[in-house]
Short mmCIF file of all heavy atoms in Angstrom, two decimals:
data_model
loop_
_atom_site.label_atom_id
_atom_site.label_comp_id
_atom_site.label_asym_id
_atom_site.label_seq_id
_atom_site.Cartn_x
_atom_site.Cartn_y
_atom_site.Cartn_z
N ASP A 744 -4.00 -0.79 14.73
CA ASP A 744 -5.15 -0.29 15.47
C ASP A 744 -5.44 1.17 15.17
O ASP A 744 -6.53 1.66 15.46
CB ASP A 744 -4.88 -0.48 16.97
CG ASP A 744 -6.17 -0.61 17.76
OD1 ASP A 744 -7.10 -1.24 17.23
OD2 ASP A 744 -6.24 -0.06 18.87
N LYS A 797 -29.45 -5.61 8.82
CA LYS A 797 -28.48 -6.01 9.87
C LYS A 797 -28.35 -7.52 10.00
O LYS A 797 -27.27 -8.02 10.31
CB LYS A 797 -28.84 -5.37 11.22
CG LYS A 797 -30.11 -5.87 11.86
CD LYS A 797 -30.32 -5.14 13.19
CE LYS A 797 -31.69 -5.36 13.79
NZ LYS A 797 -32.03 -6.76 14.08
N VAL A 869 -13.17 16.37 -3.19
CA VAL A 869 -12.89 15.93 -1.82
C VAL A 869 -11.41 16.01 -1.42
O VAL A 869 -11.10 16.25 -0.26
CB VAL A 869 -13.42 14.48 -1.64
CG1 VAL A 869 -12.99 13.89 -0.32
CG2 VAL A 869 -14.94 14.46 -1.76
N ARG A 898 5.02 11.76 -17.25
CA ARG A 898 4.38 10.48 -16.87
C ARG A 898 2.98 10.69 -16.35
O ARG A 898 2.07 9.91 -16.61
CB ARG A 898 5.22 9.78 -15.78
CG ARG A 898 6.39 8.99 -16.32
CD ARG A 898 6.80 7.95 -15.30
NE ARG A 898 7.74 8.48 -14.31
CZ ARG A 898 8.21 7.78 -13.28
NH1 ARG A 898 7.81 6.53 -13.10
NH2 ARG A 898 9.05 8.31 -12.43
#
Side-chain angles (χ1 to χ4, degrees):
D744 206 38
K797 68 180 169 59
V869 172
R898 277 202 274 177

